Amino acid sequence: MFENKVPRTELSSLGEFGLIDHIAKSIHLTGERVLKGIGDDAAVIEHGGATMVISKDLLIEGVHFDLAFHPLKHLGFKAVAVNVSDLCAMNATATEILVGVAISNRFSLEAVEELYEGMQLACQKYNVNIVGGDTTSSRSGLMISITVLGTATKEQICYRTGAAVNDLICVTGDLGAAYMGLQILEREKRIFLESPNVQPNLSGNDYILERQLKPEARVDQIKKLAELGVKPTSMIDISDGLASELMHLCKNSQVGAVIYESKLPIDGQTYERAREFGIDPTVAAVNGGEDYELLFTLQQQDYEKIRPHADVSIIGYITEVDKGIKLMDKSDNEVVLKAQGWNHF
């Protein structure tokens, strides 16, 4: 037998975004239609005088969701919402989706109908149409692939590259709730597996459970920013955790950042459940992920416009790149921020 001397590089040594960067190096765009390719929440393509914004997300059973506690209708809604969220992060409006589903014969027709019912509910909420897709069989669980299409003017689109020194760092909503909702669900699943006759105890956790099972794309916040006459200088949605997303913004914009622990928006239910689980609420907020809130930067001159807006929190500011990315804790100590959120590999 010939020995295979080709060196092997483990994907875990790269991580998801290292892999994306590696693939992007070999991709060469031709023509002038593509205004933005790999490296943002969505691609931006010019076609016939219009600007199209396109993104795709995969949801894989056993990786992104557990059907032991994720109702199919909620899953269908979530699959659409997380894709619409990517277009929100570009300051664009979603208009259509294509749905690909790989499904095994353990699912009935009624189960498939329930999944698509959830998708339709999300489409109605976000004014999006399902215009096509693909179905195939699967031998390794349920897989959902959604491509979302939308529109925006060139001037309206926000990229990850526009943050500048002294810009304000803002987030919509609150952070860490989806992560704590997942902790509740996984705890109850463990209890059920050990004692199948014990009923799950989910009472008093409605908010954080919904944030995990049925997240909302912040279309309302995109509309509100437009009403206020505010355009972010950069923006991204929070799927892998605040720390991870802030690092993406800083890397793409070639800047540093300081955020304040005392300014992080954490819901009371999130805070209480984190303490019960022995988790620092700040860790849940900074590294939890799946909140699908918007993280964006703003010129200081827009502060007065945004200040009365109750669902946006200003959590820090942008610094020079050589100052790194720091968290100022409640004792005024600077801590180097590290991304400890979701890692696909």
Side-chain angles (χ1 to χ4, degrees):
M1 299 268 313
F2 291 104
E3 184 179 352
N4 184 2
K5 295 184 178 180
V6 177
R8 174 184 170 91
T9 303
E10 300 298 335
L11 293 180
S12 58
S13 69
L14 294 172
E16 178 191 6
F17 296 102
L19 176 61
I20 292 171
D21 289 343
H22 183 81
I23 292 171
K25 292 175 184 177
S26 64
I27 303 296
H28 304 288
L29 302 175
T30 60
E32 299 179 352
R33 293 183 59 206
V34 181
L35 303 180
K36 182 66 180 181
I38 296 172
D40 217 303
D41 284 272
V44 182
I45 299 173
E46 192 171 38
H47 179 69
T51 306
M52 298 186 300
V53 186
I54 305 170
S55 186
K56 172 187 282 290
D57 260 337
L58 282 166
L59 293 180
I60 308 297
E61 184 179 354
V63 177
H64 300 100
F65 60 88
D66 186 337
L67 288 178
F69 51 70
H70 216 133
L72 286 169
K73 186 183 294 186
H74 286 68
L75 181 61
F77 188 101
K78 183 175 184 176
V80 174
V82 301
N83 278 272
V84 172
S85 181
D86 279 335
L87 263 60
C88 289
M90 304 295 291
N91 209 28
T93 301
T95 52
E96 292 88 26
I97 62 169
L98 298 165
V99 180
V101 175
I103 198 163
S104 73
N105 60 9
R106 85 178 198 266
F107 292 91
S108 64
L109 173 61
E110 290 75 19
V112 175
E113 289 175 338
E114 187 176 349
L115 179 69
Y116 273 83
E117 184 179 350
M119 292 183 191
Q120 286 282 33
L121 288 171
C123 286
Q124 292 169 13
K125 181 177 180 66
Y126 301 125
N127 196 26
V128 172
N129 289 308
I130 299 176
V131 295
D134 189 26
T135 57
T136 188
S137 62
S138 167
R139 296 181 180 178
S140 57
L142 174 63
M143 290 174 272
I144 306 169
S145 172
I146 291 185
T147 300
V148 59
L149 299 90
T151 60
T153 65
K154 287 184 184 179
E155 297 74 22
Q156 177 186 356
I157 293 174
C158 291
Y159 298 101
R160 298 177 182 179
T161 54
V165 175
N166 294 325
D167 279 359
L168 303 174
I169 301 172
C170 310
V171 292
T172 61
D174 58 82
L175 304 174
Y179 177 71
M180 291 316 307
L182 181 61
Q183 303 311 302
I184 295 289
L185 292 166
E186 290 185 335
R187 180 192 68 187
E188 295 307 310
K189 178 185 176 180
R190 288 193 299 269
I191 293 172
F192 173 77
L193 291 175
E194 293 172 1
S195 306
N197 294 325
V198 175
Q199 291 297 310
N201 179 19
L202 303 176
S203 61
N205 298 298
D206 291 357
Y207 178 68
I208 60 175
L209 291 174
E210 184 167 1
R211 292 277 281 173
Q212 169 58 222
L213 297 175
K214 186 175 166 287
E216 298 279 354
R218 297 314 303 262
V219 173
D220 59 323
Q221 296 304 304
I222 294 302
K223 292 178 179 177
K224 187 65 176 181
L225 290 173
E227 291 172 4
L228 294 171
V230 171
K231 181 192 172 185
T233 54
S234 67
M235 186 154 57
I236 190 171
D237 74 332
I238 302 176
S239 56
D240 296 322
L242 173 66
S244 178
E245 313 302 0
L246 182 59
M247 288 179 178
H248 294 322
L249 281 189
C250 289
K251 178 182 176 181
N252 282 268
S253 295
Q254 289 298 293
V255 295
V258 174
I259 60 173
Y260 293 87
E261 182 181 18
S262 61
K263 302 292 185 183
L264 298 177
I266 302 175
D267 179 78
Q269 194 173 101
T270 302
Y271 187 93
E272 291 172 5
R273 296 302 172 269
R275 288 300 191 193
E276 289 176 11
F277 275 83
I279 298 171
D280 186 332
T282 297
V283 172
V286 170
N287 291 307
E290 287 201 287
D291 289 307
Y292 295 101
E293 295 293 347
L294 296 172
L295 168 67
F296 61 94
T297 55
L298 205 64
Q299 292 182 335
Q300 289 202 23
Q301 66 194 45
D302 286 325
Y303 171 73
E304 288 302 325
K305 296 178 184 177
I306 205 79
R307 185 172 59 84
H309 187 25
D311 211 23
V312 171
S313 301
I314 298 170
I315 63 169
Y317 63 94
I318 296 296
T319 63
E320 292 83 0
V321 66
D322 59 1
K323 292 186 178 179
I325 304 171
K326 308 288 181 58
L327 170 73
M328 190 74 74
D329 69 18
K330 293 176 182 178
S331 299
D332 291 330
N333 298 311
E334 275 192 352
V335 179
V336 176
L337 199 62
K338 295 181 180 180
Q340 300 173 6
W342 176 251
N343 186 339
H344 289 269
F345 301 109

mmCIF file of all heavy atoms in Angstrom, residues 27-40 42-48 50-54 90 154 157 159:
data_model
loop_
_atom_site.group_PDB
_atom_site.id
_atom_site.type_symbol
_atom_site.label_atom_id
_atom_site.label_comp_id
_atom_site.label_asym_id
_atom_site.label_seq_id
_atom_site.Cartn_x
_atom_site.Cartn_y
_atom_site.Cartn_z
ATOM 1 N N ILE A 27 -11.964 31.920 -4.247
ATOM 2 C CA ILE A 27 -13.111 32.380 -5.027
ATOM 3 C C ILE A 27 -12.754 33.684 -5.731
ATOM 4 O O ILE A 27 -12.372 34.670 -5.089
ATOM 5 C CB ILE A 27 -14.350 32.604 -4.133
ATOM 6 C CG1 ILE A 27 -14.702 31.318 -3.375
ATOM 7 C CG2 ILE A 27 -15.527 33.106 -4.962
ATOM 8 C CD1 ILE A 27 -15.117 30.168 -4.238
ATOM 9 N N HIS A 28 -12.865 33.688 -7.050
ATOM 10 C CA HIS A 28 -12.538 34.883 -7.827
ATOM 11 C C HIS A 28 -13.782 35.342 -8.582
ATOM 12 O O HIS A 28 -14.320 34.615 -9.417
ATOM 13 C CB HIS A 28 -11.391 34.595 -8.802
ATOM 14 C CG HIS A 28 -10.154 34.075 -8.122
ATOM 15 N ND1 HIS A 28 -9.347 34.882 -7.355
ATOM 16 C CD2 HIS A 28 -9.623 32.821 -8.071
ATOM 17 C CE1 HIS A 28 -8.344 34.159 -6.875
ATOM 18 N NE2 HIS A 28 -8.492 32.908 -7.283
ATOM 19 N N LEU A 29 -14.261 36.524 -8.274
ATOM 20 C CA LEU A 29 -15.474 37.056 -8.885
ATOM 21 C C LEU A 29 -15.173 37.638 -10.256
ATOM 22 O O LEU A 29 -14.114 38.235 -10.474
ATOM 23 C CB LEU A 29 -16.088 38.134 -7.989
ATOM 24 C CG LEU A 29 -16.460 37.691 -6.569
ATOM 25 C CD1 LEU A 29 -16.936 38.877 -5.747
ATOM 26 C CD2 LEU A 29 -17.527 36.608 -6.597
ATOM 27 N N THR A 30 -16.096 37.446 -11.184
ATOM 28 C CA THR A 30 -15.959 38.012 -12.514
ATOM 29 C C THR A 30 -17.107 38.969 -12.786
ATOM 30 O O THR A 30 -18.195 38.827 -12.218
ATOM 31 C CB THR A 30 -15.947 36.911 -13.585
ATOM 32 O OG1 THR A 30 -17.184 36.171 -13.517
ATOM 33 C CG2 THR A 30 -14.780 35.961 -13.368
ATOM 34 N N GLY A 31 -16.893 39.929 -13.660
ATOM 35 C CA GLY A 31 -17.936 40.898 -13.981
ATOM 36 C C GLY A 31 -18.082 41.939 -12.894
ATOM 37 O O GLY A 31 -17.337 41.971 -11.912
ATOM 38 N N GLU A 32 -19.088 42.791 -13.031
ATOM 39 C CA GLU A 32 -19.295 43.908 -12.112
ATOM 40 C C GLU A 32 -20.614 43.828 -11.362
ATOM 41 O O GLU A 32 -20.972 44.738 -10.627
ATOM 42 C CB GLU A 32 -19.226 45.231 -12.892
ATOM 43 C CG GLU A 32 -17.873 45.457 -13.566
ATOM 44 C CD GLU A 32 -17.835 46.756 -14.347
ATOM 45 O OE1 GLU A 32 -18.913 47.382 -14.473
ATOM 46 O OE2 GLU A 32 -16.750 47.140 -14.820
ATOM 47 N N ARG A 33 -21.343 42.717 -11.525
ATOM 48 C CA ARG A 33 -22.665 42.615 -10.894
ATOM 49 C C ARG A 33 -22.569 42.430 -9.388
ATOM 50 O O ARG A 33 -23.422 42.904 -8.642
ATOM 51 C CB ARG A 33 -23.443 41.442 -11.488
ATOM 52 C CG ARG A 33 -23.835 41.598 -12.943
ATOM 53 C CD ARG A 33 -24.654 40.410 -13.395
ATOM 54 N NE ARG A 33 -25.859 40.270 -12.602
ATOM 55 C CZ ARG A 33 -26.504 39.124 -12.404
ATOM 56 N NH1 ARG A 33 -26.017 38.006 -12.889
ATOM 57 N NH2 ARG A 33 -27.611 39.097 -11.689
ATOM 58 N N VAL A 34 -21.540 41.710 -8.925
ATOM 59 C CA VAL A 34 -21.435 41.385 -7.502
ATOM 60 C C VAL A 34 -20.807 42.562 -6.758
ATOM 61 O O VAL A 34 -19.616 42.847 -6.912
ATOM 62 C CB VAL A 34 -20.613 40.106 -7.267
ATOM 63 C CG1 VAL A 34 -20.545 39.800 -5.775
ATOM 64 C CG2 VAL A 34 -21.223 38.931 -8.027
ATOM 65 N N LEU A 35 -21.613 43.227 -5.943
ATOM 66 C CA LEU A 35 -21.121 44.342 -5.150
ATOM 67 C C LEU A 35 -20.507 43.845 -3.842
ATOM 68 O O LEU A 35 -19.605 44.473 -3.283
ATOM 69 C CB LEU A 35 -22.257 45.321 -4.846
ATOM 70 C CG LEU A 35 -22.989 45.892 -6.069
ATOM 71 C CD1 LEU A 35 -24.081 46.854 -5.617
ATOM 72 C CD2 LEU A 35 -22.022 46.578 -7.016
ATOM 73 N N LYS A 36 -21.005 42.718 -3.333
ATOM 74 C CA LYS A 36 -20.458 42.100 -2.125
ATOM 75 C C LYS A 36 -20.644 40.599 -2.213
ATOM 76 O O LYS A 36 -21.763 40.116 -2.414
ATOM 77 C CB LYS A 36 -21.157 42.642 -0.869
ATOM 78 C CG LYS A 36 -20.598 42.081 0.437
ATOM 79 C CD LYS A 36 -19.165 42.528 0.654
ATOM 80 C CE LYS A 36 -18.590 41.968 1.944
ATOM 81 N NZ LYS A 36 -17.201 42.415 2.168
ATOM 82 N N GLY A 37 -19.543 39.854 -2.070
ATOM 83 C CA GLY A 37 -19.628 38.404 -2.097
ATOM 84 C C GLY A 37 -19.481 37.833 -0.704
ATOM 85 O O GLY A 37 -20.137 38.282 0.246
ATOM 86 N N ILE A 38 -18.591 36.849 -0.552
ATOM 87 C CA ILE A 38 -18.389 36.191 0.737
ATOM 88 C C ILE A 38 -17.847 37.185 1.762
ATOM 89 O O ILE A 38 -16.996 38.006 1.448
ATOM 90 C CB ILE A 38 -17.411 35.021 0.581
ATOM 91 C CG1 ILE A 38 -18.014 33.958 -0.351
ATOM 92 C CG2 ILE A 38 -17.063 34.395 1.930
ATOM 93 C CD1 ILE A 38 -17.045 32.855 -0.722
ATOM 94 N N GLY A 39 -18.337 37.085 3.009
ATOM 95 C CA GLY A 39 -17.749 37.892 4.078
ATOM 96 C C GLY A 39 -18.707 38.800 4.808
ATOM 97 O O GLY A 39 -18.278 39.566 5.675
ATOM 98 N N ASP A 40 -20.001 38.746 4.486
ATOM 99 C CA ASP A 40 -20.972 39.552 5.220
ATOM 100 C C ASP A 40 -22.198 38.688 5.501
ATOM 101 O O ASP A 40 -22.195 37.486 5.245
ATOM 102 C CB ASP A 40 -21.339 40.808 4.424
ATOM 103 C CG ASP A 40 -21.537 42.022 5.323
ATOM 104 O OD1 ASP A 40 -22.389 41.934 6.237
ATOM 105 O OD2 ASP A 40 -20.850 43.039 5.133
ATOM 106 N N ALA A 42 -24.946 38.798 3.973
ATOM 107 C CA ALA A 42 -25.588 38.456 2.712
ATOM 108 C C ALA A 42 -24.744 38.968 1.556
ATOM 109 O O ALA A 42 -23.907 39.859 1.722
ATOM 110 C CB ALA A 42 -27.003 39.071 2.652
ATOM 111 N N ALA A 43 -24.972 38.379 0.378
ATOM 112 C CA ALA A 43 -24.342 38.871 -0.846
ATOM 113 C C ALA A 43 -25.196 39.996 -1.419
ATOM 114 O O ALA A 43 -26.420 40.020 -1.234
ATOM 115 C CB ALA A 43 -24.210 37.739 -1.852
ATOM 116 N N VAL A 44 -24.554 40.926 -2.120
ATOM 117 C CA VAL A 44 -25.255 42.050 -2.737
ATOM 118 C C VAL A 44 -24.937 42.032 -4.229
ATOM 119 O O VAL A 44 -23.773 42.055 -4.628
ATOM 120 C CB VAL A 44 -24.818 43.393 -2.115
ATOM 121 C CG1 VAL A 44 -25.594 44.542 -2.752
ATOM 122 C CG2 VAL A 44 -25.042 43.374 -0.605
ATOM 123 N N ILE A 45 -25.992 41.969 -5.038
ATOM 124 C CA ILE A 45 -25.832 41.831 -6.483
ATOM 125 C C ILE A 45 -26.663 42.886 -7.203
ATOM 126 O O ILE A 45 -27.835 43.095 -6.888
ATOM 127 C CB ILE A 45 -26.266 40.421 -6.947
ATOM 128 C CG1 ILE A 45 -25.393 39.358 -6.260
ATOM 129 C CG2 ILE A 45 -26.171 40.287 -8.465
ATOM 130 C CD1 ILE A 45 -25.831 37.945 -6.522
ATOM 131 N N GLU A 46 -26.037 43.537 -8.166
ATOM 132 C CA GLU A 46 -26.735 44.538 -8.970
ATOM 133 C C GLU A 46 -27.267 43.870 -10.230
ATOM 134 O O GLU A 46 -26.540 43.155 -10.932
ATOM 135 C CB GLU A 46 -25.778 45.671 -9.340
ATOM 136 C CG GLU A 46 -26.478 46.889 -9.930
ATOM 137 C CD GLU A 46 -25.538 48.056 -10.085
ATOM 138 O OE1 GLU A 46 -24.360 47.819 -10.446
ATOM 139 O OE2 GLU A 46 -25.956 49.199 -9.862
ATOM 140 N N HIS A 47 -28.558 44.095 -10.503
ATOM 141 C CA HIS A 47 -29.171 43.448 -11.661
ATOM 142 C C HIS A 47 -30.231 44.375 -12.254
ATOM 143 O O HIS A 47 -31.235 44.691 -11.608
ATOM 144 C CB HIS A 47 -29.813 42.118 -11.261
ATOM 145 C CG HIS A 47 -30.478 41.409 -12.400
ATOM 146 N ND1 HIS A 47 -29.782 40.854 -13.447
ATOM 147 C CD2 HIS A 47 -31.800 41.176 -12.661
ATOM 148 C CE1 HIS A 47 -30.627 40.299 -14.292
ATOM 149 N NE2 HIS A 47 -31.859 40.490 -13.832
ATOM 150 N N GLY A 48 -29.986 44.807 -13.481
ATOM 151 C CA GLY A 48 -30.968 45.631 -14.179
ATOM 152 C C GLY A 48 -31.323 46.914 -13.469
ATOM 153 O O GLY A 48 -32.481 47.344 -13.492
ATOM 154 N N ALA A 50 -31.461 47.333 -10.325
ATOM 155 C CA ALA A 50 -31.926 47.042 -8.963
ATOM 156 C C ALA A 50 -30.794 46.398 -8.176
ATOM 157 O O ALA A 50 -29.853 45.842 -8.740
ATOM 158 C CB ALA A 50 -33.134 46.123 -9.000
ATOM 159 N N THR A 51 -30.896 46.463 -6.841
ATOM 160 C CA THR A 51 -29.903 45.848 -5.971
ATOM 161 C C THR A 51 -30.550 44.703 -5.208
ATOM 162 O O THR A 51 -31.475 44.913 -4.429
ATOM 163 C CB THR A 51 -29.317 46.874 -4.983
ATOM 164 O OG1 THR A 51 -28.811 47.991 -5.710
ATOM 165 C CG2 THR A 51 -28.187 46.253 -4.179
ATOM 166 N N MET A 52 -30.071 43.487 -5.453
ATOM 167 C CA MET A 52 -30.603 42.307 -4.779
ATOM 168 C C MET A 52 -29.684 41.914 -3.633
ATOM 169 O O MET A 52 -28.460 42.027 -3.739
ATOM 170 C CB MET A 52 -30.719 41.138 -5.759
ATOM 171 C CG MET A 52 -31.649 41.376 -6.919
ATOM 172 S SD MET A 52 -31.861 39.870 -7.920
ATOM 173 C CE MET A 52 -30.185 39.555 -8.437
ATOM 174 N N VAL A 53 -30.292 41.439 -2.546
ATOM 175 C CA VAL A 53 -29.548 40.968 -1.383
ATOM 176 C C VAL A 53 -29.956 39.517 -1.146
ATOM 177 O O VAL A 53 -31.148 39.207 -1.063
ATOM 178 C CB VAL A 53 -29.848 41.837 -0.149
ATOM 179 C CG1 VAL A 53 -28.955 41.429 1.019
ATOM 180 C CG2 VAL A 53 -29.645 43.316 -0.466
ATOM 181 N N ILE A 54 -28.970 38.613 -1.048
ATOM 182 C CA ILE A 54 -29.248 37.179 -1.017
ATOM 183 C C ILE A 54 -28.429 36.504 0.085
ATOM 184 O O ILE A 54 -27.239 36.788 0.247
ATOM 185 C CB ILE A 54 -28.894 36.512 -2.363
ATOM 186 C CG1 ILE A 54 -29.617 37.216 -3.516
ATOM 187 C CG2 ILE A 54 -29.240 35.024 -2.348
ATOM 188 C CD1 ILE A 54 -29.146 36.780 -4.880
ATOM 189 N N MET A 90 -28.267 43.569 6.941
ATOM 190 C CA MET A 90 -27.774 44.345 5.800
ATOM 191 C C MET A 90 -28.600 45.608 5.596
ATOM 192 O O MET A 90 -28.369 46.349 4.646
ATOM 193 C CB MET A 90 -27.825 43.491 4.528
ATOM 194 C CG MET A 90 -27.073 42.175 4.598
ATOM 195 S SD MET A 90 -25.290 42.369 4.788
ATOM 196 C CE MET A 90 -24.819 43.045 3.205
ATOM 197 N N LYS A 154 -28.543 50.915 -2.878
ATOM 198 C CA LYS A 154 -27.118 50.883 -2.574
ATOM 199 C C LYS A 154 -26.804 51.736 -1.348
ATOM 200 O O LYS A 154 -25.983 51.373 -0.511
ATOM 201 C CB LYS A 154 -26.310 51.400 -3.765
ATOM 202 C CG LYS A 154 -26.229 50.450 -4.938
ATOM 203 C CD LYS A 154 -25.319 51.055 -5.999
ATOM 204 C CE LYS A 154 -25.280 50.204 -7.237
ATOM 205 N NZ LYS A 154 -24.411 50.814 -8.288
ATOM 206 N N ILE A 157 -27.844 49.998 2.162
ATOM 207 C CA ILE A 157 -27.206 48.771 2.635
ATOM 208 C C ILE A 157 -26.107 49.061 3.656
ATOM 209 O O ILE A 157 -25.308 49.975 3.494
ATOM 210 C CB ILE A 157 -26.619 47.978 1.449
ATOM 211 C CG1 ILE A 157 -27.761 47.473 0.558
ATOM 212 C CG2 ILE A 157 -25.794 46.800 1.945
ATOM 213 C CD1 ILE A 157 -27.296 46.801 -0.710
ATOM 214 N N TYR A 159 -22.872 47.324 5.693
ATOM 215 C CA TYR A 159 -21.903 46.232 5.675
ATOM 216 C C TYR A 159 -21.225 46.129 7.038
ATOM 217 O O TYR A 159 -21.418 46.965 7.912
ATOM 218 C CB TYR A 159 -20.865 46.465 4.577
ATOM 219 C CG TYR A 159 -21.437 46.498 3.183
ATOM 220 C CD1 TYR A 159 -21.671 47.701 2.517
ATOM 221 C CD2 TYR A 159 -21.736 45.320 2.518
ATOM 222 C CE1 TYR A 159 -22.194 47.728 1.235
ATOM 223 C CE2 TYR A 159 -22.257 45.328 1.224
ATOM 224 C CZ TYR A 159 -22.486 46.539 0.588
ATOM 225 O OH TYR A 159 -23.006 46.554 -0.681
#
